[in-house]
């Protein structure tokens, strides 16, 4: 038979669409042509395949060979089709006779010697192959990753001859079983190590419970970065679907996926010299995921936020709302998950000492205005909790007998609050909108009047009002309260009042008294 059909997989974002490799041998001048929208690396596979077949002891057919990668309108990249093309040539030329080849999917790159090299994105390939009900033939170096989170049968191979012997039935091979991996315990900071900063600790707990965005502002050395680094330690473990998303992204860029399988949430700290492509993802023809996708279901920390170019920060506005990023290019449109929690830190002025209680600030009002204006109003409006962090006095900092709650204790409360949200509405409070927001964040008459006054005094936008409601709902969940009370609303307003303390105080003074407890 001069026609062979092999099943393989492409890479399109975190998806792995099916690709059929069709190999046809016909008369005419000897040559090998690859069609089906291949890029340069795929076109060069004909030389790798030729050398691999000859060095493995096979005959390279002296006939006209046509390789079609279907569907023809899907861009093909990389060396992942090498092994499939080689097997197709062997099957079409009669050197490989296998009745089970159509039950397998093949994704691997070939070396000139016939040995098999690893690929990127093995986990999405394995998931898609398992859903199609086929057996996956994969490089041994990718086998642990491919079997980490699914039950797809995987045959791990090191050489072209091993694949041929297995497909001919000359060698029995068992499905690969992943090797157990012992992860080192995370050595992140613990909330128990932070002295003072009770309101900042409370803000961290609220942000973790509601999956909300958070901004710390204050003078240098007040502990903003340390507080942000404590957030992953109080977040719940990744769910199964979240683990698949995070592991798929890490697999695409070549990062270890074992921590994702253990439920460890990612924490990505980005320097302010990062380019727009590094932050949100992109590239020329085949866009790659950026830091916001690598932080999916975890934390993205931006230190010294005013030092980021304003246009770079504004690129985050849409992902903060939708939890996804769409990268459009001439040949393709690729969507990556970007459901991250943003934690930012900033100084109030270029020297950092504006409003720190001393007279050390040397910045002019115009310098302060320009510095704070580097962060746009629409971007700030998307940050739920905005908190001023003051520097600790010397006696509090040097207090030896300070005792505070550990991250483990706070994490228990966060998990209980998240569980209440899942039972009530099926998602975290961050994603409440529309009718769901009206239903689950309903206020009584007096609390509604208080929120109306706050919107007028603090000049809150509709988005800001909704974020106040989400914060108040989260505060109620932490106390296991079925309804939002005035105390919850006032505390929520305090978390949004970093730049409007005067207005917040006016609202608090005008509000009716709330009984203790």
């Amino acid at each position: 038979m001069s026609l062979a059909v092999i099943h393989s997989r492409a890479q399109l974002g975190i998806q792995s669409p099916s690709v059929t490799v069709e190999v046809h041998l016909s008369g005419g001048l000897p040559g090998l042509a690859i069609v089906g929208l291949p890029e340069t690396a795929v076109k060069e596979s004909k030389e790798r395949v030729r050398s691999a077949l000859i060095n493995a002891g096979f005959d390279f057919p002296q006939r006209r060979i046509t390789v079609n990668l279907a569907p023809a309108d899907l861009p093909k990249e990389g060396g992942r089709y090498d092994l499939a093309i080689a097997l197709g040539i062997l099957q079409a030329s009669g050197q490989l006779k296998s009745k089970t080849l159509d039950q397998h999917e093949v994704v691997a790159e070939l070396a000139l010697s016939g040995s098999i090299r690893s690929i990127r994105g093995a986990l999405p390939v394995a998931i898609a192959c398992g859903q199609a009900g086929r057996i996956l033939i994969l490089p041994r170096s990718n086998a642990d990753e491919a079997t980490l989170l699914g039950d797809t049968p995987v045959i791990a191979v090191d050489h072209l001859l091993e694949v041929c012997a297995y497909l001919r039935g000359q060698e029995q091979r068992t499905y690969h079983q992943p090797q157990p991996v012992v992860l080192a315990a995370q050595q992140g900071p613990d909330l128990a190590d932070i002295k003072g900063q009770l309101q900042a600790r409370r803000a961290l707990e609220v942000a973790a419970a509601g999956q909300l965005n958070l901004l710390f502002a204050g003078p240098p050395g007040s502990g903003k970065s340390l507080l942000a680094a404590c957030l992953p330690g109080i977040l719940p473990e990744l769910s199964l679907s979240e683990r698949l998303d995070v592991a798929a992204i890490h697999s695409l860029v070549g990062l270890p996926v074992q921590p994702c399988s253990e439920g460890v949430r990612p924490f990505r700290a980005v320097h302010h010299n990062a380019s727009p492509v590094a932050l949100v993802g992109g590239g020329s023809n085949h866009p790659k995921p950026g830091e916001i996708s690598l932080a999916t279901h975890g934390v993205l920390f931006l230190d010294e936020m005013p030092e980021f170019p304003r246009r770079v920060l504004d690129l985050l506005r849409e992902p903060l709302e939708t939890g996804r990023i769409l990268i459009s290019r001439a040949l393709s449109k690729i969507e990556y998950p970007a459901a991250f929690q943003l934690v930012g830190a900033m100084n109030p002025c270029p020297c950092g000492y504006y409003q720190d209680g001393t007279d050390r600030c040397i910045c002019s009002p115009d310098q302060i205005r320009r510095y704070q204006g580097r962060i746009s109003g629409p971007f700030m409006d998307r940050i739920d909790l905005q908190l001023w962090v003051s520097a600790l006095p010397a006696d509090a900092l040097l207090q030896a007998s300070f005792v505070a709650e550990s991250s483990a204790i706070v994490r228990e409360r966060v998990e209980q609050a998240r569980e209440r949200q899942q039972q009530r509405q099926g998602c975290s409070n961050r994603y409440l909108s529309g009718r769901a927001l009206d239903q689950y964040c309903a206020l009584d008459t007096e609390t509604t009047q208080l929120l109306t006054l706050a919107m007028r005094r603090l000049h809150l936008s509709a988005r800001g009002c909704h974020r106040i409601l989400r914060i108040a709902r989260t505060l109620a969940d932490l106390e296991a309260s079925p309804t939002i009370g005035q105390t919850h609303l006032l505390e929520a307003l305090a978390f949004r009042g970093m730049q409007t303390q005067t207005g917040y105080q006016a609202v608090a003074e005008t509000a009716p008294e709330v009984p203790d407890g």
Side-chain angles (χ1 to χ4, degrees):
M1 182 179 180
S2 60
L3 178 65
V5 178
I6 314 294
H7 298 290
S8 186
R9 292 277 166 184
Q11 177 184 317
L12 191 63
I14 61 171
Q15 305 300 319
S16 189
S18 175
V19 171
T20 303
V21 180
E22 301 172 334
V23 180
H24 180 243
L25 274 61
S26 61
L29 293 176
L32 195 158
I34 301 177
V35 297
L37 211 57
E39 67 156 18
T40 303
V42 181
K43 293 177 181 178
E44 292 174 348
S45 67
K46 57 186 178 183
E47 303 301 333
R48 294 192 296 270
V49 169
R50 184 195 307 271
S51 297
L53 290 177
I54 294 174
N55 288 324
F58 295 103
D59 294 328
F60 191 81
Q62 297 302 308
R63 302 174 64 183
R64 183 176 180 81
I65 305 173
T66 303
V67 178
N68 180 39
L69 306 177
D73 59 346
L74 177 68
K76 319 299 188 307
E77 63 169 336
R80 57 177 51 220
Y81 307 104
D82 289 0
L83 182 57
I85 293 173
L87 294 177
I89 293 174
L90 294 177
Q91 180 86 345
S93 63
Q95 299 179 73
L96 173 65
K97 296 181 180 179
S98 174
K99 297 180 179 179
T100 62
L101 192 55
D102 60 342
Q103 301 173 12
H104 295 76
E105 292 188 3
V106 183
V107 183
E109 180 180 338
L110 281 176
L112 299 184
S113 62
S115 59
I116 292 178
R117 290 175 172 164
S118 62
I119 62 166
R120 286 190 176 184
L123 184 59
V125 170
I127 295 173
C129 180
Q131 293 172 348
R134 296 193 183 101
I135 303 170
L136 180 61
I137 298 178
L138 205 65
R140 187 174 300 278
S141 54
N142 292 121
D144 284 347
E145 174 186 326
T147 55
L148 196 60
L149 296 175
D151 54 359
T152 302
V154 173
I155 300 296
V157 292
D158 293 309
H159 200 276
L160 175 61
L161 293 176
E162 295 181 18
V163 183
C164 295
Y166 163 71
L167 292 174
R168 287 171 178 157
Q170 299 172 349
E171 180 181 335
Q172 298 294 325
R173 301 182 73 89
T174 58
Y175 297 145
H176 181 80
Q177 298 296 326
Q179 298 295 325
V181 177
V182 179
L183 295 176
Q186 285 190 301
Q187 300 297 325
D190 194 285
L191 282 176
D193 300 329
I194 297 179
K195 295 182 178 181
Q197 306 295 5
L198 298 181
Q199 190 179 15
R201 292 166 57 93
R202 175 69 165 171
L204 279 176
E205 182 176 347
V206 174
Q211 204 174 347
L212 306 174
N213 302 313
L214 174 62
L215 172 64
F216 289 129
S222 56
K224 303 183 296 294
S225 300
L226 180 61
L227 285 163
C230 290
L231 181 56
I234 62 176
L235 292 174
E237 289 187 357
L238 292 167
S239 65
L240 179 58
S241 61
E242 291 174 339
R243 295 182 192 192
L244 291 175
D245 282 346
V246 177
I249 291 292
H250 285 205
S251 176
L252 290 181
V253 299
L255 292 178
V257 299
Q258 285 84 1
C260 312
S261 67
E262 299 295 326
V264 178
R265 292 186 179 270
F267 180 83
R268 306 290 299 185
V270 184
H271 194 266
H272 54 74
N273 67 354
S275 66
V277 172
L279 188 62
V280 303
S284 55
N285 294 325
H286 304 284
K288 304 299 182 184
E291 290 291 340
I292 63 174
S293 296
L294 293 172
T296 292
H297 305 305
V299 178
L300 178 72
F301 177 49
L302 304 182
D303 200 3
E304 305 295 344
M305 275 181 50
E307 301 297 335
F308 284 82
R310 181 167 176 167
R311 63 186 184 90
V312 173
L313 291 179
D314 284 342
L315 289 174
L316 302 180
R317 284 156 56 176
E318 182 181 353
L320 284 173
E321 294 286 346
T322 64
R324 309 195 71 81
I325 181 68
L326 178 65
I327 305 173
S328 299
R329 293 295 181 268
L331 296 179
S332 62
K333 292 184 179 181
I334 296 180
E335 187 178 70
Y336 287 113
F340 59 91
Q341 263 185 275
L342 176 67
V343 179
M346 62 175 287
N347 295 326
C349 66
C351 76
Y353 298 108
Y354 177 62
Q355 288 187 337
D356 72 334
T358 67
D359 56 356
R360 290 182 292 176
C361 181
I362 59 174
C363 303
S364 66
D366 189 55
Q367 287 177 316
I368 296 172
R369 179 184 58 81
R370 286 201 306 267
Y371 186 78
Q372 296 182 357
R374 295 178 184 178
I375 305 176
S376 67
F379 180 78
M380 285 289 289
D381 206 29
R382 286 169 167 82
I383 300 179
D384 303 276
L385 299 98
Q386 303 169 16
L387 190 68
W388 178 269
V389 181
S390 301
L392 285 180
D395 54 347
L397 184 63
L398 300 176
Q399 183 179 359
S401 59
F402 182 82
V403 178
E405 286 184 325
S406 66
S407 293
I409 297 175
V410 177
R411 182 176 182 174
E412 291 181 3
R413 292 200 297 267
V414 169
E415 290 175 343
Q416 293 171 3
R418 287 274 190 106
E419 183 62 28
R420 294 185 187 104
Q421 295 165 29
Q422 289 295 327
Q423 292 178 356
R424 182 180 61 242
Q425 65 221 18
C427 65
S428 63
N429 290 335
R430 172 180 181 169
Y431 297 106
L432 286 177
S433 61
R435 294 182 179 179
L437 188 70
D438 295 336
Q439 178 181 355
Y440 300 115
C441 298
L443 306 177
D444 58 30
T445 303
E446 292 183 353
T447 310
T448 302
Q449 293 175 353
L450 178 61
L451 180 57
T452 304
L453 175 64
M455 291 185 64
R456 184 168 60 252
R457 292 288 181 87
L458 303 181
H459 306 290
L460 294 175
S461 65
R463 181 185 291 114
C465 176
H466 292 166
R467 294 190 182 278
I468 290 289
L469 290 174
R470 295 187 188 110
I471 298 172
R473 179 66 267 177
T474 303
L475 290 166
D477 289 334
L478 286 169
E479 297 180 2
S481 173
T483 59
I484 298 176
Q486 293 186 28
T487 54
H488 304 136
L489 185 60
L490 284 172
E491 187 175 1
L493 289 170
F495 285 132
R496 289 283 293 188
M498 184 186 71
Q499 296 177 330
T500 55
Q501 289 296 330
T502 304
Y504 166 70
Q505 291 172 2
V507 173
E509 292 170 359
T510 314
E513 294 185 0
V514 181
D516 294 338

